Amino acid sequence: MADISEYPEALRDVMEMFEDIDEHGRAEILLDYSSRFQEVPSYIAQRPFPEDHRVQRCESEAYVFTEPNAGGGINFYFAVENPQGVSAKALAAILQESLMGEKAETIKAIPHDIVFRLFGKRISMGKGEGLLGMVALLKYFADLTQKEQKSE
Amino acid sequence: MSNSGYAHPDALVNTEWVAQHLNDPAVRIVESNEDPLLYASGHIPGAIQIDWVTDLNDQIRRDYLDRKSFENLMSKHGISNNTKVVFYGDKNNWWACYAFWVFQLFGHTNAAIMNGGRLKWVEEQRPLTKEVPHYPASTYHAQERSDYKIRAFRDQVLGHVNGQLPLIDVRSPGEFKGELTHMPDYPQEGALRAGHIPGAKSIPWSKAVQPDGTFKLPDDLKALYEQDNGFAPSQNIITYCRIGERSAHTWFVLTYLLGYPTVRNYDGSWTEWGNSVGVPIEK
């Protein structure tokens, strides 16, 4: 497991909330985040969302979008088409509330074990893969957006 | 909707039936989900949660719980041998069917699936609660887990391949074809090889459900499996997917809705086959 200090600074507070937490407390916090999920604004993307923005093998039908901001950072957004996809919405809200607008390097530095720290080590393989896929696709598009920024 | 026409109508109840039996001591409602947060976000009043990872699986071996653990699980939730257990859940009842299937390994035949699952209950604006019920412990006597009739293992599947016996791959067409994404640092499906088991026919699980999430009607199911794909009740069929939950859904359809007597679910599924050394694979 990555040490908390290896996490981007903007994520450390939320990651610390999940240290040594019981399952009830974990669920309460995640559901609270899930309730604050905000879908991608229509000026960024509209249905039907493009397939190349879809998180493969995510059972919650999540999509990831990015755009450069004026400060040289990355704004990013999610759509979660499965109305029952509360875990995907919780992860999206945590990432957005913590890292929105950060530099691509910061987003790309999200440690691989974030899903297990947030959702617990006993999360199923399929669920873990879907949520990890959201993080991986966010990193991919952050990198792509950064390269486009540099080439302009 | 009536269940008439299905081979085993008692194995399927509708949301209204569940609503009428919320306080029935002879009935236990069980929620089983893919998303572990859903139950905590609100569930059918009186429903308990059974999680396929933490409750139904052995925590060391890749296998299901044993008889003693199953008895303890039933006792903890106040389920007796005579209790009618009704399963529902997210994702069109994938995990509900999976839990139902595990219960059958222990011979708990007084069981049913709530047609349409959690989403139908929610969309009908039926009540949900966050209150977790606690039932007095019961005494439960389970049979030893019996795998031979409804569960298939890798070597049996290999025998099926060699014998050119019928297999149904219920994953998506992309998974069946072995299409891989080439995006860097991107999680695959937990298998080193992609494709399908030779000879398997692709019938995605989703073809067995209607747009509202309920199972298709008997004639439509017969048309799907028999007219369109050439299967017959007399066949010895194995279903599989990635980890056995979607194929439990198709296993339920074939066994309980169409009445096929010899259907087994290969729970090792693609995560085992696609990682096994030397087994044949088709793309």
Side-chain angles (χ1 to χ4, degrees):
Chain A
M1 292 275 273
D3 191 84
I4 290 280
S5 62
E6 295 174 46
Y7 273 78
E9 194 172 348
L11 259 175
R12 284 177 205 159
D13 283 349
V14 67
M15 300 314 294
E16 277 171 4
M17 273 199 296
F18 287 89
E19 291 288 288
D20 302 320
I21 196 165
D22 64 28
E23 291 309 305
H24 177 74
R26 181 191 304 281
E28 287 294 309
I29 296 173
L30 289 170
L31 288 172
D32 189 38
Y33 271 106
S34 174
S35 69
R36 300 206 295 268
F37 169 72
Q38 292 189 353
E39 188 175 88
V40 58
S42 58
Y43 76 88
I44 296 288
Q46 294 180 13
R47 291 181 180 81
F49 297 124
E51 196 60 23
D52 57 349
H53 285 255
R54 179 174 175 156
V55 179
Q56 295 296 311
R57 298 186 181 85
C58 173
E59 304 292 358
S60 296
E61 297 169 50
Y63 294 79
V64 181
F65 305 91
T66 53
E67 63 166 355
N69 63 29
I74 309 285
N75 293 340
F76 59 89
Y77 312 92
F78 297 90
V80 178
E81 292 293 77
N82 176 5
Q84 301 177 115
V86 287
S87 289
K89 289 178 183 174
L91 177 61
I94 287 169
L95 292 170
Q96 274 196 313
E97 290 184 21
S98 305
L99 296 175
M100 175 67 98
E102 293 280 351
K103 301 285 188 197
E105 280 79 8
T106 305
I107 293 168
K108 284 155 60 180
I110 301 169
H112 195 66
D113 63 5
I114 182 170
V115 167
F116 304 105
R117 280 188 182 272
L118 294 175
F119 293 88
K121 290 179 187 171
R122 296 177 86 178
I123 191 166
S124 71
M125 183 183 72
K127 192 78 207 159
E129 278 190 358
L131 295 168
L132 276 170
M134 290 175 65
V135 178
L137 196 57
L138 171 61
K139 290 182 180 185
Y140 173 80
F141 279 120
D143 185 58
L144 201 64
T145 306
Q146 181 188 39
K147 285 173 179 159
E148 288 167 356
Q149 278 174 322
K150 284 178 179 171
S151 65
E152 284 172 3
Chain B
M1 188 199 77
S2 164
N3 287 344
S4 62
Y6 292 125
H8 299 283
D10 288 350
L12 195 64
V13 298
N14 60 25
T15 50
E16 180 57 27
W17 187 95
V18 171
Q20 296 298 324
H21 289 81
L22 293 182
N23 299 310
D24 186 340
V27 172
R28 183 72 70 246
I29 313 295
V30 175
E31 178 162 333
S32 285
N33 293 323
E34 188 253 353
D35 194 321
L37 281 180
L38 267 179
Y39 178 82
S41 74
H43 49 264
I44 295 177
I48 55 124
Q49 175 173 230
I50 289 186
D51 181 81
W52 73 277
V53 176
T54 56
D55 290 323
L56 297 181
N57 273 271
D58 185 280
Q59 297 303 304
I60 306 294
R61 292 159 45 122
R62 183 178 176 183
D63 203 351
Y64 298 107
L65 68 181
D66 61 14
R67 179 182 61 83
K68 189 70 194 160
S69 302
F70 186 77
E71 286 179 344
N72 290 341
L73 181 67
M74 297 302 95
S75 176
K76 182 175 87 171
H77 291 302
I79 297 171
S80 72
N81 290 71
N82 296 322
T83 305
K84 184 177 181 80
V85 180
V86 176
F87 298 90
Y88 76 101
D90 63 353
K91 304 303 297 179
N92 290 100
N93 277 329
W94 289 357
W95 272 264
C97 289
Y98 186 90
F100 179 105
W101 176 74
V102 173
F103 271 55
Q104 300 320 301
L105 297 175
F106 293 98
H108 194 101
T109 55
N110 192 7
I113 297 290
M114 185 179 85
N115 205 2
R118 181 186 164 97
L119 190 57
K120 189 166 193 336
W121 181 273
V122 171
E123 289 190 338
E124 290 173 348
Q125 298 185 316
R126 295 183 184 273
L128 294 171
T129 181
K130 289 187 176 181
E131 187 179 332
V132 176
H134 296 284
Y135 297 102
S138 62
T139 301
Y140 192 99
H141 299 291
Q143 64 178 42
E144 286 298 335
R145 202 183 72 216
S146 176
D147 291 334
Y148 76 95
K149 192 167 185 294
I150 60 171
R151 186 181 185 195
F153 293 91
R154 192 195 70 158
D155 289 350
Q156 294 168 328
V157 176
L158 197 55
H160 236 60
V161 173
N162 293 333
Q164 297 185 314
L165 294 172
L167 289 148
I168 302 178
D169 185 319
V170 314
R171 299 174 299 164
S172 65
E175 288 170 286
F176 181 80
K177 290 176 195 157
E179 291 168 351
L180 289 172
T181 174
H182 297 289
M183 205 168 284
D185 195 26
Y186 206 79
Q188 299 296 341
E189 61 168 342
L192 289 169
R193 289 290 184 271
H196 59 266
I197 299 174
K201 201 157 231 179
S202 171
I203 311 179
W205 68 273
S206 55
K207 294 202 169 199
V209 299
Q210 308 189 85
D212 70 350
T214 56
F215 291 107
K216 280 185 176 171
L217 300 177
D219 286 347
D220 295 332
L221 291 174
K222 278 182 192 153
L224 170 65
Y225 293 101
E226 295 172 12
Q227 280 96 67
D228 298 350
N229 287 284
F231 289 101
S234 60
Q235 289 178 305
N236 175 1
I237 298 171
I238 292 176
T239 63
Y240 74 93
C241 58
R242 186 179 71 163
I243 52 172
E245 88 292 18
R246 287 174 286 180
S247 46
H249 186 275
T250 296
W251 167 84
F252 178 83
V253 169
L254 292 173
T255 304
Y256 289 87
L257 304 187
L258 288 179
Y260 285 31
T262 315
V263 183
R264 284 176 289 166
N265 180 24
Y266 172 35
D267 58 280
S269 272
W270 197 255
T271 53
E272 178 176 62
W273 196 269
N275 283 314
S276 290
V277 177
V279 296
I281 288 173
E282 272 180 4
K283 274 200 172 186

Short mmCIF file of all heavy atoms in Angstrom, two decimals, chain B residues 77 88 109 144 149 153 176 194 210 216 232 252:
data_model
loop_
_atom_site.label_atom_id
_atom_site.label_comp_id
_atom_site.label_asym_id
_atom_site.label_seq_id
_atom_site.Cartn_x
_atom_site.Cartn_y
_atom_site.Cartn_z
N HIS B 77 -29.11 -15.03 10.35
CA HIS B 77 -30.18 -14.23 9.76
C HIS B 77 -31.57 -14.79 10.07
O HIS B 77 -32.56 -14.36 9.47
CB HIS B 77 -29.99 -14.13 8.25
CG HIS B 77 -28.80 -13.31 7.85
ND1 HIS B 77 -28.64 -11.99 8.25
CD2 HIS B 77 -27.69 -13.61 7.12
CE1 HIS B 77 -27.50 -11.52 7.76
NE2 HIS B 77 -26.91 -12.47 7.09
N TYR B 88 -33.23 -10.58 -4.25
CA TYR B 88 -33.30 -9.50 -5.24
C TYR B 88 -31.98 -8.75 -5.19
O TYR B 88 -31.21 -8.87 -4.22
CB TYR B 88 -34.48 -8.56 -4.97
CG TYR B 88 -34.25 -7.61 -3.82
CD1 TYR B 88 -33.89 -6.27 -4.05
CD2 TYR B 88 -34.36 -8.03 -2.50
CE1 TYR B 88 -33.66 -5.39 -3.00
CE2 TYR B 88 -34.14 -7.17 -1.44
CZ TYR B 88 -33.79 -5.85 -1.69
OH TYR B 88 -33.55 -4.98 -0.66
N THR B 109 -34.24 -25.39 -1.28
CA THR B 109 -35.08 -25.30 -2.49
C THR B 109 -36.24 -24.32 -2.35
O THR B 109 -36.81 -23.90 -3.36
CB THR B 109 -35.64 -26.68 -2.86
OG1 THR B 109 -36.33 -27.21 -1.73
CG2 THR B 109 -34.51 -27.63 -3.26
N GLU B 144 -24.61 -31.48 3.18
CA GLU B 144 -23.26 -31.17 2.70
C GLU B 144 -23.38 -30.51 1.33
O GLU B 144 -24.28 -30.84 0.55
CB GLU B 144 -22.42 -32.45 2.58
CG GLU B 144 -21.96 -33.02 3.91
CD GLU B 144 -21.05 -32.07 4.70
OE1 GLU B 144 -20.39 -31.22 4.08
OE2 GLU B 144 -21.02 -32.20 5.94
N LYS B 149 -24.34 -31.51 -9.36
CA LYS B 149 -25.51 -31.38 -10.24
C LYS B 149 -25.59 -30.03 -10.97
O LYS B 149 -25.99 -29.97 -12.12
CB LYS B 149 -26.79 -31.58 -9.40
CG LYS B 149 -28.04 -31.76 -10.26
CD LYS B 149 -29.20 -32.26 -9.41
CE LYS B 149 -30.42 -32.57 -10.27
NZ LYS B 149 -31.00 -31.41 -10.90
N PHE B 153 -16.70 -27.79 -13.00
CA PHE B 153 -15.30 -27.44 -12.76
C PHE B 153 -14.52 -27.47 -14.08
O PHE B 153 -14.98 -28.02 -15.08
CB PHE B 153 -14.68 -28.41 -11.75
CG PHE B 153 -15.26 -28.28 -10.37
CD1 PHE B 153 -16.37 -29.04 -9.98
CD2 PHE B 153 -14.74 -27.37 -9.47
CE1 PHE B 153 -16.92 -28.91 -8.72
CE2 PHE B 153 -15.28 -27.24 -8.20
CZ PHE B 153 -16.37 -28.00 -7.82
N PHE B 176 -16.67 -12.09 -25.70
CA PHE B 176 -16.68 -13.38 -26.40
C PHE B 176 -15.65 -13.39 -27.53
O PHE B 176 -14.93 -14.37 -27.72
CB PHE B 176 -18.08 -13.62 -26.96
CG PHE B 176 -18.24 -14.94 -27.68
CD1 PHE B 176 -18.42 -16.13 -26.98
CD2 PHE B 176 -18.23 -14.98 -29.07
CE1 PHE B 176 -18.58 -17.34 -27.65
CE2 PHE B 176 -18.38 -16.19 -29.74
CZ PHE B 176 -18.55 -17.37 -29.04
N ALA B 194 -7.62 -13.70 -23.88
CA ALA B 194 -9.00 -13.30 -24.17
C ALA B 194 -9.57 -14.20 -25.26
O ALA B 194 -8.83 -14.79 -26.05
CB ALA B 194 -9.03 -11.84 -24.63
N GLN B 210 -36.34 -8.31 -20.29
CA GLN B 210 -37.08 -7.27 -21.00
C GLN B 210 -36.54 -5.89 -20.59
O GLN B 210 -35.78 -5.78 -19.63
CB GLN B 210 -38.57 -7.38 -20.65
CG GLN B 210 -39.11 -8.80 -20.85
CD GLN B 210 -40.60 -8.87 -20.72
OE1 GLN B 210 -41.33 -8.62 -21.67
NE2 GLN B 210 -41.07 -9.22 -19.53
N LYS B 216 -37.90 -12.30 -19.71
CA LYS B 216 -38.77 -12.44 -20.86
C LYS B 216 -39.83 -13.52 -20.59
O LYS B 216 -39.64 -14.39 -19.75
CB LYS B 216 -37.95 -12.81 -22.10
CG LYS B 216 -37.26 -11.61 -22.73
CD LYS B 216 -36.55 -12.00 -24.01
CE LYS B 216 -35.94 -10.75 -24.67
NZ LYS B 216 -35.06 -11.11 -25.80
N ALA B 232 -31.86 -27.46 -26.58
CA ALA B 232 -33.03 -28.29 -26.25
C ALA B 232 -32.94 -28.72 -24.80
O ALA B 232 -31.84 -28.87 -24.25
CB ALA B 232 -33.07 -29.51 -27.17
N PHE B 252 -30.33 -19.83 -14.09
CA PHE B 252 -31.66 -19.73 -13.49
C PHE B 252 -32.73 -19.75 -14.58
O PHE B 252 -33.75 -20.43 -14.45
CB PHE B 252 -31.76 -18.43 -12.66
CG PHE B 252 -33.12 -18.22 -12.06
CD1 PHE B 252 -33.47 -18.84 -10.87
CD2 PHE B 252 -34.06 -17.42 -12.69
CE1 PHE B 252 -34.74 -18.66 -10.31
CE2 PHE B 252 -35.33 -17.24 -12.14
CZ PHE B 252 -35.67 -17.86 -10.96
#
